[in-house]
Amino acid sequence: MEIKLELKTVVQAEADTVVVVCCSKEKPEDALAGTAAQADTAAGGWIEELFQRKEFTGKALETALLHRPGGLAAKHLLVVGGGPAKQFSPGEMRKAAGAAVRTAKAKGSRDISLAVSGAEATPAMVEAAVEGALLGDFEPDHHKTDPKKNEKAVDRFRVAAGDSLNGLAEAVERGRIIGESQNFSRVLANEPANLLTPSRMAREASQMAAQFGLACEVLDEARMRQLGMGALLGVSQGSTEPPALIVIRYKPEVPAAASSAHLALVGKGVTFDTGGVSIKPSEGMEKMKYDMAGAAAVLGAMRALAQLKPRIPVTAFAPCVENMVSGRAQRPGDIVTSYNGKTIEVLNTDAEGRLILVDALSYAIRQGCTHLVDAATLTGAIAVALAHIHAGLFSNDEALRDRLLAAAKVEGERLWPMPLDDDYKDYLKSAFADIPNISGGRYGGAITAAKFLEEFVDEKPWAHLDIAGTAWLDDAKPFLAKGPTGMGVRTFVRLALDWQN
Ligand code: BES
Ligand code: ZN
Ligand code: ZN
């Protein structure tokens, strides 16, 4: 999708479909405002008439389409609801732009222009609009052979910003980088496990790193054995596919003077999770191809950061394995020794994410990282607690937790703080090793999983995002296709860019 910014008003924009966002009215007799008012005047009062007939109310993501709008240069006018004007934020804009693109392309439009003015023409709004357009255009269908499917993609998305482009070119560029990087992550998360093995993840990561000038190193099985990463290797041993620990490094040219922070982004990369010997039920198991969505999120974030250049060093660690059943697979009751020397009793082979993560987290610490953030499709229990709306946020450090909450808020990714009180540690007791990989009780599974991870971070500032409920959409939304969401990418990018000291 080509993305352009131009000095045109809603009246002048020459696209196949020109889009305006129209917020709801406080009182029915209120006049339309902003770009919608300009479009309405030019198109002879068409939007006002929709309001009068209550066919359109400005509710968020509502749409109405006018063909051959007299007075406008575009062939079609698409009005998208923005919700109450006072609450219209970049987050609403991102969704509105996504819904506009999905609606317009469903009607056969490949050339879309979003007209903005006034409060919609700020850098933050325009950045979000470009992201929303790219995210909305994404379809998880590139394995379909139907030749018509390529026609479904939008060719061109323009932002018609009226008569002033102040700071907007950079905003469009940032939106493009972040939107494309989130889609990069979504492509990976959607790939089936026969095509996306740990080795293939490593190849995709090193190609991406080479393309954007990042250093990439892949630790293979032999190296991990030498280092003593017994927790990760225990998970991987049931598969004929070799594991890979992907490490990607970004270093700023001019580091922030006051900062000695080195951020680690760690992502769970289980390319397929059968559960192992503690096997999962077959219903829905096909979705376990997205059990590497955490790894995909950190790779997507690095892809964006390479271009946006934060002022602190950021290193990504993506431990990638396949969790399979075989004559070589790990058994319940096995005791493995993790990279940091602690022994773990594997009471359930389906709690594998935490096993690969702890070796990667300890490795990140040994590599000199000062702050650790991980993303993982770790537990079904997080979806029991928070449904598919929020990802769970766990942290041993208030400042890091607040940074993540702030970053996520700006980026419209929803995180909810979860508890990590020491009392939860009591659920993790093993008679035969230092720690078991699952809790003894039935409840609080997402918390005990996080508590397990915490045991391996050496009291370094650390935060964990459980994205099992939010990395995948079972049903499309008006602004996003069914399938992988790319959850975490934008929050990670914002966290690194906004890091002050
Ligand atoms: N990959 C799963 C968690 C998951 C569930 C991700 C649903 C996405 C959607 C994880 O490895 C797992 O199997 N966790 C177990 C832990 C249990 C054995 C303590 C779970 O949640 O059931
Ligand atoms: Zn599992
Ligand atoms: Zn898993």
Side-chain angles (χ1 to χ4, degrees):
M1 185 163 98
E2 184 198 353
I3 295 178
K4 285 178 90 170
L5 174 68
E6 56 182 18
L7 274 168
K8 294 242 163 102
T9 64
V10 63
V11 174
Q12 298 160 334
E14 273 161 6
D16 179 73
T17 301
V18 66
V19 178
V20 292
V21 177
C22 180
C23 289
S24 53
K25 295 180 177 181
E26 267 181 46
K27 294 192 274 329
E29 61 275 20
D30 285 351
L32 286 173
T35 327
Q38 293 165 30
D40 187 55
T41 307
W46 178 75
I47 305 177
E48 278 293 6
E49 201 168 324
L50 286 175
F51 269 94
Q52 274 157 27
R53 295 169 63 92
K54 300 203 169 57
E55 276 183 42
F56 181 89
T57 64
K59 210 175 99 192
L61 309 181
E62 230 179 14
T63 53
L65 183 64
L66 175 64
H67 303 280
R68 309 265 157 209
L72 301 185
K75 293 202 185 93
H76 309 274
L77 169 64
L78 177 65
V79 187
V80 184
K86 280 189 196 137
Q87 287 159 35
F88 191 74
S89 63
E92 298 301 320
M93 177 60 109
R94 188 180 292 106
K95 290 192 271 187
V101 163
R102 293 188 70 71
T103 306
K105 75 173 182 173
K107 309 264 182 203
S109 188
R110 316 267 167 255
D111 174 24
I112 299 168
S113 183
L114 172 75
V116 293
S117 61
E120 300 155 354
T122 64
M125 286 284 186
V126 166
E127 179 178 333
V130 172
E131 287 167 9
L134 282 160
L135 299 174
D137 192 37
F138 176 92
E139 300 292 345
D141 65 353
H142 75 270
H143 290 298
K144 282 190 191 275
T145 52
D146 175 359
K148 279 197 230 127
K149 81 146 182 123
N150 282 335
E151 291 172 26
K152 282 207 307 202
V154 170
D155 298 325
R156 187 157 55 166
F157 179 80
R158 288 180 273 195
V159 177
D163 50 13
S164 162
L165 302 186
N166 231 341
L168 298 187
E170 295 78 6
V172 166
E173 186 58 4
R174 280 196 303 274
R176 186 186 63 75
I177 290 168
I178 295 170
E180 286 178 355
S181 297
Q182 189 169 340
N183 283 346
F184 168 84
S185 163
R186 291 166 82 193
V187 170
L188 290 176
N190 190 46
E191 278 300 90
N194 61 326
L195 303 180
L196 191 65
T197 58
S199 320
R200 179 65 200 288
M201 280 282 279
R203 239 185 3 255
E204 296 292 330
S206 59
Q207 266 169 23
M208 180 278 285
Q211 187 183 349
F212 294 100
L214 295 166
C216 177
E217 185 190 353
V218 178
L219 279 64
D220 64 8
E221 184 169 352
R223 179 76 186 125
M224 288 190 264
R225 198 166 300 287
Q226 234 174 22
L227 290 169
M229 296 185 169
L232 185 153
L233 291 170
V235 176
S236 167
Q237 76 188 32
S239 174
T240 49
E241 291 295 336
L245 174 54
I246 303 165
V247 183
I248 297 188
R249 296 186 167 88
Y250 163 81
K251 272 206 185 76
E253 272 163 34
V254 195
S259 176
S260 57
H262 180 170
L263 179 62
L265 299 176
V266 183
K268 170 176 171 181
V270 176
T271 58
F272 196 78
D273 184 10
T274 64
V277 170
S278 315
I279 196 164
K280 287 184 179 297
S282 56
E283 199 190 325
M285 204 203 274
E286 71 283 354
K287 277 175 49 185
M288 282 302 112
K289 67 176 182 177
Y290 87 83
D291 211 17
M292 35 55 72
V298 306
L299 296 179
M302 293 308 282
R303 184 187 182 281
L305 290 174
Q307 300 169 76
L308 296 171
K309 306 197 185 304
R311 296 187 61 203
I312 55 162
V314 184
T315 305
F317 300 85
C320 297
V321 302
E322 194 180 48
N323 189 22
M324 297 295 276
V325 201
S326 78
R328 281 184 12 177
Q330 162 164 270
R331 294 138 294 245
D334 283 5
I335 293 176
V336 293
T337 304
S338 70
Y339 177 55
N340 86 348
K342 282 198 169 105
T343 56
I344 305 168
E345 186 182 11
V346 181
L347 290 176
N348 189 315
T349 63
D350 197 10
E352 83 299 339
R354 59 197 82 180
L355 295 170
I356 68 168
L357 283 170
V358 294
D359 278 353
L361 286 165
S362 317
Y363 187 66
I365 294 170
R366 294 266 185 103
Q367 292 285 302
C369 294
T370 58
H371 294 72
L372 312 165
V373 182
D374 77 73
T377 48
L378 204 64
T379 67
I382 199 65
V384 174
L386 302 173
H388 302 296
I389 310 297
H390 287 88
L393 168 62
F394 301 84
S395 183
N396 61 357
D397 185 86
E398 214 170 302
L400 181 59
R401 192 192 63 196
D402 290 347
R403 283 181 199 269
L404 275 157
L405 286 172
K409 184 149 193 240
V410 173
E411 293 299 333
E413 290 193 317
R414 282 187 281 185
L415 303 182
W416 197 258
M418 297 286 289
L420 264 185
D421 306 57
D422 270 334
D423 308 62
Y424 290 103
K425 177 80 207 304
D426 297 341
Y427 293 106
L428 294 170
K429 290 254 154 54
S430 166
F432 310 112
D434 295 338
I435 191 168
N437 75 328
I438 57 166
S439 92
R442 264 163 60 87
Y443 302 114
I447 309 172
T448 47
K451 205 69 198 163
F452 177 88
L453 297 180
E454 190 189 8
E455 288 301 303
F456 294 81
V457 298
D458 272 355
E459 295 178 10
K460 290 266 179 308
W462 153 83
H464 156 62
L465 273 56
D466 193 336
I467 59 170
T470 48
W472 190 267
L473 264 185
D474 282 326
D475 300 301
K477 294 211 190 277
F479 50 89
L480 212 66
K482 170 190 169 113
T485 60
M487 173 71 193
V489 172
R490 296 203 308 274
T491 296
F492 288 162
V493 170
R494 176 64 49 200
L495 176 72
L497 289 177
D498 284 357
W499 203 286
Q500 294 298 342
N501 46 54

